[in-house]
Amino acid sequence: MNQTENINANWPGLIEAYKSWLPVSEKTPIVSLKEGGTPLIKLHSISTLIGKDVSIYAKYDGLNPTGSFKDRGMTMAISKAKEEGCEAVICASTGNTSAAAAAYAKRGKMRAFVLIPDGYVAQGKLAQALVYGAEIVAIKGNFDRALEIVQEASKKYPITLVNSVNPYRLEGQKTAAFEIIDCLGDAPDWLCIPMGNAGNISAYWMGFEQYYVAQKATKLPRMMGFQASGSAPLVLNKTINNPETIATAIRIGNPVNKEKAIQARIKSKGTFLDVTDEEIIEAYKLLASEEGIFCEPASAASIAGLLKRKQEIPNNSVIVCVLTGNGLKDPDCAIKNNEAIFHSNIEGNLKEIATILGF
Ligand SMILES: *Cc1c(COP(=O)(O)O)cnc(C)c1O
């Protein structure tokens, strides 16, 4: 059986699949929704657009159980919290962490407390946290402030913090790098990824390094991290006090995993770059209308960044862009940003409809 079949058939969830690479033991109660094992999809139109001999793939992590890569980290964080006897978890969230924390906490029979920046969480994400039964506190302040508060709360009270400062989160998330290598047979030349709190880029780098050391890959990818221009602390190398972007999942001005991300960039000879909201939306529409893949705006930053770096792409290279979250998370953004032809208020008869459709 080849590795690709191994990944897709009877997928047991990422902890089971990569147990020997993760800090779990026989005693760890695995809380899983069969996350991971997401598809690597070839992007034909975008490869053509770049106009070189390149293979571009999307790692579509929006197909995880709650619709984002956060599930990879959360299955680990919640399983370990359960092992340690914890009864409640807390997180600050731009939305996806809260959806994942709530789902896995409930599956593990724990309470989930969620702090969100009031008015800056996409509808789909809020809907998830509500229906999973999280206890939600919307604060007057941004994500960075919410994170300071939950860090303090987890020190003072018997609640486990499940933001990406929790080391188990990154352990779970590194498995996406394993899956990419297992699928391609080697590491890609570039990995393009959006950065918010910069946990995911750090986790991918950890995964790529571990597989490289174990000789499961012959090379390491350049880590290409992208941020939104109004929220680009890692590109500008300074804290942004009032980050602003349409890509709310990466609207973070003071990333907690900053040092790790910088190390990944230096060691991989990668680069960080910012993309404007307009470029993000262009890439977002392109992915949906040309490739049939609907991701959320933050995820499209990886494609926007790749297109911006077009000139530097080496011939014959293999590039993976991480699509971190599902487009259904943010329906408002989709409804406001599309070029659909939408005829409304039409009589329900074929003759009239056929005329409108040009037949
Ligand atoms: C959390 C998130 C990010 C940013 O990931 P970090 O680990 O915080 O850098 C990007 N896209 C989506 C959809 C997210 O949910």
Side-chain angles (χ1 to χ4, degrees):
M1 185 166 68
N2 72 33
Q3 287 290 354
T4 310
E5 278 162 13
N6 189 17
I7 282 194
N8 295 320
N10 300 316
W11 179 252
L14 63 84
I15 297 182
E16 277 297 338
Y18 292 110
K19 222 171 191 167
S20 62
W21 300 86
L22 295 168
V24 290
S25 70
E26 290 310 311
K27 294 200 310 281
T28 313
I30 298 176
V31 181
S32 170
L33 291 162
K34 311 261 178 183
E35 55 294 311
T38 55
L40 199 59
I41 307 172
K42 195 141 192 192
L43 302 180
H44 300 292
S45 302
I46 290 171
S47 301
T48 307
L49 199 71
I50 285 172
K52 293 183 186 173
D53 194 9
V54 286
S55 295
I56 302 185
Y57 295 88
K59 179 65 173 162
Y60 192 19
D61 250 1
L63 289 186
N64 274 298
T66 79
S68 86
F69 76 84
K70 298 297 197 302
D71 294 345
R72 293 183 180 274
M74 215 50 83
T75 184
M76 271 301 300
I78 299 289
S79 297
K80 293 303 282 187
K82 188 85 188 155
E83 182 176 349
E84 286 153 17
C86 135
E87 290 173 0
V89 298
I90 193 165
C91 65
S93 181
T94 60
N96 284 331
T97 300
S98 61
Y104 285 82
K106 291 302 160 144
R107 195 159 172 89
K109 305 276 173 288
M110 293 174 215
R111 291 174 75 183
F113 304 111
V114 168
L115 257 74
I116 56 171
D118 202 358
Y120 286 92
V121 170
Q123 283 286 315
K125 305 177 189 183
L126 189 59
Q128 288 179 291
L130 291 167
V131 81
Y132 288 133
E135 294 163 61
I136 303 165
V137 183
I139 66 156
K140 293 181 205 144
N142 60 25
F143 170 85
D144 302 283
R145 179 69 195 123
L147 185 58
E148 287 167 9
I149 298 169
V150 296
Q151 284 183 292
E152 209 180 321
S154 69
K155 285 191 192 113
K156 276 204 172 138
Y157 308 106
I159 337 174
T160 300
L161 182 63
V162 293
N163 281 103
S164 56
V165 277
N166 178 324
Y168 298 122
R169 281 275 309 275
L170 301 199
E171 289 288 334
Q173 286 169 213
K174 78 183 178 191
T175 59
F178 296 166
E179 289 174 18
I180 290 172
I181 293 173
D182 285 341
C183 240
L184 296 175
D186 204 345
D189 297 295
W190 285 16
L191 185 93
C192 299
I193 185 168
M195 300 184 295
N197 236 343
N200 213 24
I201 190 170
S202 310
Y204 267 90
W205 181 243
M206 174 161 61
F208 284 126
E209 274 197 315
Q210 290 182 1
Y211 253 32
Y212 178 72
V213 168
Q215 298 186 330
K216 284 186 158 265
T218 67
K219 58 187 174 187
L220 287 159
R222 291 182 68 189
M223 302 299 282
M224 314 301 262
F226 300 106
Q227 298 199 292
S229 299
S231 178
L234 288 164
V235 177
L236 302 173
N237 205 17
K238 62 168 199 214
T239 298
I240 308 297
N241 291 322
N242 295 302
E244 272 311 335
T245 169
I246 191 166
T248 51
I250 52 172
R251 185 174 168 269
I252 295 174
N254 188 18
V256 285
N257 297 293
K258 174 165 55 190
E259 288 311 321
K260 288 196 185 89
I262 292 171
Q263 281 307 309
R265 175 176 61 72
I266 294 170
K267 286 194 194 161
S268 75
K269 303 184 176 61
T271 55
F272 293 166
L273 181 72
D274 64 306
V275 287
T276 64
D277 279 8
E278 291 71 30
E279 288 165 333
I280 288 175
I281 291 302
E282 275 308 307
Y284 168 84
K285 291 193 291 193
L286 188 72
L287 262 173
S289 64
E290 296 292 327
E291 304 281 4
I293 302 175
F294 187 24
C295 69
E296 64 174 280
S299 311
S302 64
I303 302 289
L306 173 71
L307 294 174
K308 210 163 177 167
R309 284 259 183 253
K310 195 159 103 175
Q311 304 308 333
E312 295 151 55
I313 299 173
N315 258 319
N316 296 312
S317 51
V318 175
I319 296 179
V320 173
C321 297
V322 183
L323 299 184
T324 46
N326 196 300
L328 292 171
K329 292 274 191 177
D330 194 348
D332 294 334
C333 178
I335 288 165
K336 283 186 199 132
N337 297 285
N338 62 76
E339 268 133 51
I341 301 161
F342 185 15
H343 305 282
S344 56
N345 214 13
I346 308 299
E347 289 301 325
N349 77 65
L350 180 59
K351 193 157 175 283
E352 189 165 339
I353 293 168
T355 308
I356 290 166
L357 299 183
F359 292 104

